């Protein structure tokens, strides 16, 4: 299952020889084979994969030195390799212009900003007319990239006593506790509303290095992921009439999971950050591929037979921001 392209992934719009509709301009690329993750062609004999987000590089949002007689609008978005600027609405946008053999003008809004590809024979005036024609779309997508980057920065884990991260849809607080061995999860059933009830006690001193803490926590999360995935596969496999030959943990950057015709299931261990409904959806999606190695209506009926509200669960994977461990 491929991860759907998150907002940080490039948004493309092609103009000129085949003008898109406004609806097409607004639509995010959605892989036919993935529960709202990124499209990846399956290997021969394999189920098409479900996909997760990678932390994007932030778009550059800094004013460029003013140049006499150029633009007075504030510079809101600038591609780091920008070689041209244009005023769109109230904003000045620095964009990268690439000349290519393509027959149309294409816009790409990605983590770095706006890049434009155009045929060699198209003049700059015609390119900028096309840009102004889609100014609202471009500015909206650039804003979405910035907002997602803010979310990514907020999700960065500061590895130390009192740090927090999501586990099975809940917040868990890290506690450095040299009295324990490894990592031990404690649950406070009497916690106040709004106060995290989970604490993960880590057998390290207060002087532990951030990398040490991260490694212990990551190992614990991966062990929990395997345990939970095995339990959920054992739950759904009989209901779907399939047999899992082997379960493997994945660290893929663009897939939540995948399945092979031989019954090997790969599941991304980072799914352990989500609640059980999301995990169950991904597990059922991959197990369903052992009956239907495609994404036909028949495949979705198989998934729906055990996950009736699959559309709601897919939506929870639409634009996830995972904890940043770096």
């Amino acid at each position: 299952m491929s991860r759907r392209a998150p907002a940080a992934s490039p948004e493309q719009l092609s103009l000129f020889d085949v003008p898109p509709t406004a609806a097409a301009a607004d639509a995010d690329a959605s892989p036919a084979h993935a529960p709202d993750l990124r499209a990846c062609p399956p290997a021969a004999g394999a189920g098409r994969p479900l996909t997760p987000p990678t932390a994007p590089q932030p778009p550059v949002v800094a004013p460029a030195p003013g140049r006499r007689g150029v633009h007075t609008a504030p510079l809101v978005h600038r591609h780091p390799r920008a070689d041209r600027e244009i005023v769109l609405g109230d904003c000045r946008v620095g964009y990268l212009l690439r000349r290519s053999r393509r027959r149309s003008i294409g816009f790409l809004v990605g983590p770095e900003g706006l890049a434009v590809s155009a045929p060699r024979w198209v003049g700059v005036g015609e390119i900028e007319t096309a840009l102004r024609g889609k100014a609202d779309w471009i500015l909206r997508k650039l804003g979405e990239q910035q907002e997602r980057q803010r979310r990514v920065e907020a999700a960065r884990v500061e590895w130390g006593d009192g740090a927090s991260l999501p586990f099975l849809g809940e917040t868990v607080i890290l506690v450095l506790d040299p009295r324990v061995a490894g990592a031990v999860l404690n649950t406070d059933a009497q916690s106040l509303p709004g106060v995290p009830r989970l604490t993960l006690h880590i057998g390290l001193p207060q002087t532990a290095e951030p990398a040490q803490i991260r490694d212990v926590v990551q190992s614990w999360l991966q062990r929990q992921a395997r345990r939970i995935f095995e339990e959920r596969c054992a739950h759904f496999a009989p209901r779907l009439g399939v047999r899992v030959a082997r379960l493997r943990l994945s660290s893929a950057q663009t897939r939540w999971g995948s399945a092979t015709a031989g019954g090997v299931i790969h599941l991304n261990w980072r799914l352990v950050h989500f609640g059980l409904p999301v995990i169950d959806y991904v597990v059922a999606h991959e197990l369903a591929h052992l009956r239907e190695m495609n994404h036909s209506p028949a495949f979705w009926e198989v998934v729906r037979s055990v996950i009736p509200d699959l559309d709601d669960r897919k939506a929870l994977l639409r634009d996830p921001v995972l904890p940043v461990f770096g």
Side-chain angles (χ1 to χ4, degrees):
M1 173 193 260
S2 301
R3 270 179 16 204
R4 172 183 177 276
S9 62
E11 306 265 2
Q12 299 189 59
L13 181 63
S14 183
L15 294 179
F16 212 63
D17 60 347
V18 185
T21 63
D26 281 338
D28 289 332
S30 179
H33 62 278
D36 293 315
L37 299 172
R38 191 170 271 111
C40 299
R48 298 176 76 110
L50 268 178
T51 51
T54 58
Q57 296 301 313
V60 176
V61 187
R67 289 184 291 167
R68 183 180 301 175
V70 181
H71 297 304
T72 57
L75 182 61
V76 178
H77 304 279
R78 182 178 179 81
H79 193 287
R81 289 174 287 132
D83 49 13
R84 299 201 65 83
E85 293 179 358
I86 186 173
V87 173
L88 300 178
D90 297 329
C91 304
R92 188 155 49 100
V93 177
Y95 64 94
L96 172 64
L97 175 60
R98 299 189 185 99
R99 293 294 186 170
S100 66
R101 296 180 182 179
R102 61 179 295 150
R103 296 186 300 169
S104 64
I105 300 173
F107 303 154
L108 182 70
V109 179
E112 293 184 315
L114 172 64
V116 179
S117 297
R120 303 181 193 282
W121 48 268
V122 176
V124 171
E126 203 160 2
I127 293 171
E128 295 195 344
T129 296
L131 285 167
R132 292 188 182 96
K134 292 299 176 183
D136 290 345
W137 183 88
I138 292 169
L139 292 176
R140 183 170 72 253
K141 294 304 178 183
L142 287 169
E144 289 172 3
Q145 294 286 355
Q146 288 183 323
E147 174 56 30
R148 191 173 198 281
Q149 182 56 31
R150 283 191 285 270
R151 292 169 58 201
V152 168
E153 288 303 313
R156 191 173 298 279
V157 180
E158 300 295 335
W159 297 105
D161 191 63
S164 65
L165 70 160
F167 172 66
L168 293 182
E170 294 191 55
T171 298
V172 60
I173 304 298
L174 307 185
V175 177
L176 298 183
D177 185 353
R179 298 171 300 174
V180 305
V184 177
L185 183 68
N186 288 345
T187 303
D188 181 5
Q190 304 301 318
S191 64
L192 297 173
V195 177
R197 68 186 188 91
L198 303 179
T199 55
L200 182 63
H201 291 248
I202 303 166
L204 290 173
Q206 294 290 326
T207 55
E209 294 293 325
Q212 291 178 282
I213 303 170
R214 179 199 62 209
D215 291 347
V216 171
V217 173
Q218 181 168 316
S219 294
W220 181 83
L221 287 171
Q222 290 174 338
R223 292 195 299 273
Q224 300 310 306
R226 177 171 289 280
R227 174 183 63 81
I228 294 163
F229 296 166
E230 287 175 347
E231 291 175 357
R232 304 322 291 164
C233 283
H235 173 79
F236 284 109
R239 289 164 174 76
L240 292 171
V242 299
R243 186 182 71 86
V244 177
R246 184 177 301 173
L247 171 66
R248 291 177 176 169
L249 293 186
S250 164
S251 298
Q253 294 298 306
T254 56
R255 293 184 179 184
W256 291 121
S258 62
T260 72
V264 178
I265 301 295
H266 294 81
L267 294 171
N268 196 304
W269 69 267
R270 299 297 297 269
L271 283 165
V272 80
H273 296 304
F274 294 92
L276 204 57
V278 171
I279 294 174
D280 280 353
Y281 164 61
V282 178
V283 169
H285 182 114
E286 298 308 336
L287 294 181
H289 278 309
L290 302 184
R291 285 179 53 180
E292 296 285 341
M293 301 298 286
N294 51 56
H295 285 93
S296 64
F299 164 81
W300 290 111
E301 284 306 310
V302 173
V303 180
R304 203 177 297 275
S305 70
V306 291
I307 307 290
D309 59 340
L310 68 87
D311 293 330
D312 293 336
R313 303 193 192 195
K314 283 170 64 177
L316 298 174
L317 287 168
R318 188 150 291 146
D319 184 25
V321 172
L322 299 180
V324 180
F325 278 23

